[in-house]
Amino acid sequence: MIPILNRINELSRIERSSGLSDTEKAEQAALRTQYLQILRGQLLTTLLNVSVMDEFGNDVTPKRLIDKRAANDQ
């Protein structure tokens, strides 16, 4: 992911200094989309591993999250 982020930042610097060509704009948009997909995937993975506990130590994880976790395990 770091090379993607480095290239996004590089294109951003170029855009601020001298502007981007159409090819570079397309590359920047594609890289940003790819970066967001990776980020969302990581967030989903993290959330699927979360259990919600109440103040008494009871598991009150929402059923929707449990169902999603079960679907991803298959």
Side-chain angles (χ1 to χ4, degrees):
M1 181 166 76
I2 296 299
I4 293 172
L5 196 53
N6 289 338
R7 182 63 179 154
I8 290 171
N9 290 335
E10 180 182 346
L11 288 169
S12 181
R13 283 189 293 275
I14 293 170
E15 183 178 33
R16 282 192 301 266
S17 65
S18 61
L20 295 176
S21 68
D22 290 338
T23 306
E24 290 171 327
K25 286 179 185 178
E27 179 188 5
Q28 184 182 43
L31 288 171
R32 285 178 174 169
T33 300
Q34 186 178 2
Y35 175 74
L36 287 175
Q37 286 175 340
I38 292 169
L39 200 62
R40 287 179 183 132
Q42 290 174 344
L43 180 61
L44 179 61
T45 299
T46 299
L47 288 176
L48 288 176
N49 291 311
V50 168
S51 292
V52 181
M53 308 299 271
D54 67 8
E55 63 271 8
F56 303 110
N58 300 317
D59 188 355
V60 293
T61 305
K63 182 173 176 0
R64 183 175 174 190
L65 180 58
I66 293 169
D67 293 343
K68 183 78 169 174
R69 187 182 302 153
N72 276 0
D73 287 342
Q74 294 176 354

